[in-house]
Amino acid sequence: MLELNQVVQEIESADTLDALEALRVRLLGKAGEITALLKTLGGMSPEQRQSEGPKIQALREGATAAIAARKAALEGAALEARLAGETIDLSLPAPATPRGSVHPISQVMDELAEVFADLGFAVATGPEIEDDWHNFTALNMPESHPARAMHDTFYFPDKDGQGRDMLLRTHTSPVQIRAMLDQGAPIRVIAPGRVYRSDSDATHTPMFHQIEGLVIDKGIHLGHLKWTLETFLKAYFERDDIVLRLRPSYFPFTEPSVEVDVGYAFEGGRRVVGGSGDAPGHAWMEVLGSGMVNRHVIAAAGLDPDEWQGFAFGTGVDRLAMLKYGMDDLRAFFDGDVRWLSHYGFSALDVPTLSGGVGTPA
Ligand code: DAH
């Protein structure tokens, strides 16, 4: 009869997984040697079974355990060998002069996301190809509303499946509607992105960038709006002396509406924000549109305006970038001139953080 010691020895000397598997089949497979021994138990007398049974069982258990142990050892060794053979050399040198840079628009959008994340705002997005319901109607600009004519809209020739006119969004405000419909209230989001208007001169390009902000909650009032904008502008411009002036204005989607000015002065031939616009040598410049979200807009987005209130604001990202980093021609943003990009672009490693100063120039 088979000896457990011998069987174990044979298993331990199997030097490949294939050899071990062949051995397992030979011992424990359907027609295996130990399997055959187990089958003899049925034909034994009770006394014989009492003396032989435990030995045969011990043989089976011992062989099974030894095979499992050997298998683990061989697999471990195979993995070690593979790891040793597949090392990656992380010491390859980086290119001496970095090619490419992060466009100031991307950088500023990251800065804004960082500033607003600190105030508890998430980033929301919406499509650049919009329908006129989201872009206008839901924002309290029904068809034939005069404010629609203020946006020189690019329309598509065909309507969508629901019979809505399709267009390139003229502002980021439709993301307010989409975010409220998607997420309900309370909500705190910003929505940076591209917008389009049929307009082109030194200060207008047919595609430009806006950032929208939306807060909907209970008991929100104009004071929250002012504090939020002040905190945002101080963090973005990295100056404590930012002074805001809120002027009554009109937007269909807010009531009341306010336009927000910041004080600035000319320094070294360029506008530098800071100080009151009423101080000597200073003036006011409009930077934001905002207001308390109109109850029609809240209702259009499926919320009860008696329960929920909030504020919204919108501003041009390109303008914010120019004010902070001193570019004077908007069109250069979109020319792709490598000299401009290497001058105004940012290092990919210069990730904006509040602790590091959101926008330390490259
Ligand atoms: N959507 C406006 C525009 O494109 C900007 C704006 C003004 C957005 C007031 C707002 C707001 O959210 O409350 O000119």
Coordinates of all heavy atoms in Angstrom, one line a residue, residues 151 170-173 176 197 210 212-213 251 253-254 258 289-291 312-315, ligand 1:
H151 N -29.4 88.4 -26.6 CA -28.4 87.3 -26.9 C -28.4 87.0 -28.4 O -29.5 86.7 -28.9 CB -28.8 86.0 -26.1 CG -28.7 86.2 -24.7 ND1 -28.6 85.1 -23.8 CD2 -28.7 87.3 -23.9 CE1 -28.6 85.5 -22.6 NE2 -28.6 86.8 -22.6
T170 N -26.3 80.3 -24.9 CA -25.8 81.7 -24.9 C -25.2 82.1 -23.5 O -24.6 83.2 -23.4 CB -26.9 82.7 -25.3 OG1 -28.0 82.5 -24.3 CG2 -27.4 82.4 -26.7
H171 N -25.5 81.3 -22.5 CA -24.9 81.6 -21.2 C -24.9 80.3 -20.4 O -25.4 79.3 -20.9 CB -25.7 82.7 -20.5 CG -27.2 82.5 -20.4 ND1 -28.1 83.4 -19.8 CD2 -28.0 81.5 -21.0 CE1 -29.3 82.9 -19.9 NE2 -29.3 81.8 -20.6
T172 N -24.3 80.3 -19.2 CA -24.3 79.1 -18.4 C -25.5 78.9 -17.5 O -25.7 77.9 -16.8 CB -23.0 79.0 -17.5 OG1 -22.8 80.3 -17.0 CG2 -21.8 78.6 -18.3
S173 N -26.4 79.9 -17.6 CA -27.6 79.9 -16.7 C -28.5 78.6 -16.9 O -29.1 78.2 -15.9 CB -28.4 81.2 -16.9 OG -27.6 82.3 -16.6
Q176 N -28.3 76.1 -14.3 CA -29.1 76.2 -13.0 C -30.3 75.3 -13.1 O -30.6 74.6 -12.1 CB -29.6 77.7 -12.9 CG -28.6 78.7 -12.6 CD -29.3 80.1 -12.4 OE1 -30.5 80.1 -11.9 NE2 -28.7 81.2 -12.7
R197 N -22.1 83.3 -28.6 CA -23.0 84.4 -29.2 C -22.4 84.9 -30.5 O -21.1 84.9 -30.6 CB -23.1 85.5 -28.2 CG -23.9 85.1 -26.9 CD -24.1 86.3 -26.0 NE -24.4 85.8 -24.7 CZ -24.5 86.5 -23.6 NH1 -24.4 87.8 -23.7 NH2 -24.8 86.0 -22.4
Q210 N -18.1 81.3 -19.3 CA -18.7 81.9 -18.2 C -18.6 81.0 -17.0 O -18.4 79.8 -17.2 CB -20.2 82.2 -18.5 CG -20.5 83.3 -19.4 CD -22.0 83.6 -19.5 OE1 -22.8 82.8 -19.2 NE2 -22.3 84.9 -19.8
E212 N -21.3 80.1 -13.7 CA -22.5 80.4 -13.1 C -22.5 79.9 -11.6 O -21.8 79.0 -11.3 CB -23.6 79.6 -13.8 CG -25.0 79.9 -13.6 CD -25.4 81.1 -14.4 OE1 -24.7 81.5 -15.3 OE2 -26.5 81.7 -14.1
G213 N -23.2 80.6 -10.7 CA -23.3 80.1 -9.4 C -24.7 80.0 -9.0 O -25.5 80.8 -9.4
F251 N -32.4 91.3 -14.6 CA -32.3 90.1 -15.4 C -33.6 89.3 -15.3 O -34.2 89.3 -14.2 CB -31.1 89.2 -14.8 CG -29.8 89.8 -14.9 CD1 -29.2 90.3 -13.7 CD2 -29.1 89.9 -16.1 CE1 -27.9 90.9 -13.8 CE2 -27.8 90.5 -16.1 CZ -27.2 91.0 -15.0
F253 N -34.2 86.3 -14.9 CA -34.1 85.1 -14.0 C -33.9 85.4 -12.6 O -33.8 84.5 -11.8 CB -33.1 84.1 -14.6 CG -32.0 84.7 -15.4 CD1 -30.8 85.1 -14.8 CD2 -32.1 84.8 -16.7 CE1 -29.8 85.7 -15.5 CE2 -31.1 85.3 -17.5 CZ -30.0 85.8 -16.9
T254 N -33.7 86.7 -12.3 CA -33.5 87.1 -10.9 C -34.4 88.3 -10.5 O -34.7 89.1 -11.4 CB -32.0 87.5 -10.6 OG1 -31.6 88.3 -11.6 CG2 -31.1 86.3 -10.5
V258 N -29.0 92.4 -9.2 CA -27.9 93.3 -8.9 C -26.7 93.1 -9.8 O -26.4 92.0 -10.1 CB -27.5 93.3 -7.4 CG1 -28.5 93.9 -6.5 CG2 -27.1 91.9 -7.0
G289 N -23.1 89.6 -12.8 CA -24.5 89.8 -12.8 C -25.0 88.8 -11.7 O -24.5 87.7 -11.6
S290 N -26.1 89.2 -11.0 CA -26.5 88.3 -9.9 C -27.9 88.8 -9.4 O -28.5 89.8 -9.9 CB -25.5 88.3 -8.8 OG -25.5 89.6 -8.2
G291 N -28.4 88.0 -8.5 CA -29.7 88.4 -7.9 C -30.3 87.2 -7.2 O -29.7 86.1 -7.1
A312 N -28.3 83.6 -7.5 CA -27.5 83.1 -8.6 C -26.6 84.2 -9.0 O -26.9 85.4 -8.7 CB -28.4 82.7 -9.7
F313 N -25.5 83.9 -9.7 CA -24.7 84.9 -10.3 C -24.0 84.3 -11.5 O -23.9 83.1 -11.7 CB -23.6 85.4 -9.3 CG -22.8 84.3 -8.7 CD1 -21.6 83.8 -9.3 CD2 -23.2 83.6 -7.5 CE1 -20.9 82.8 -8.7 CE2 -22.4 82.6 -7.0 CZ -21.3 82.2 -7.6
G314 N -23.6 85.2 -12.4 CA -22.9 84.7 -13.6 C -21.8 85.7 -13.9 O -22.0 87.0 -13.8
T315 N -20.7 85.3 -14.5 CA -19.6 86.2 -14.9 C -18.8 85.6 -16.0 O -18.8 84.3 -16.2 CB -18.8 86.6 -13.7 OG1 -17.8 87.6 -14.1 CG2 -18.1 85.5 -13.0
Ligands
DAH1 N1 -26.7 84.9 -17.7 C1 -26.3 86.2 -17.7 C2 -25.5 86.6 -18.9 O1 -25.1 85.8 -19.7 C3 -25.4 86.5 -16.5 C4 -26.1 86.3 -15.2 C5 -26.7 87.4 -14.6 C6 -26.2 85.1 -14.6 C7 -27.4 87.3 -13.4 C8 -26.9 85.0 -13.4 C9 -27.5 86.1 -12.8 O2 -27.0 83.8 -12.7 O3 -28.2 86.0 -11.6 O4 -25.4 87.8 -19.2

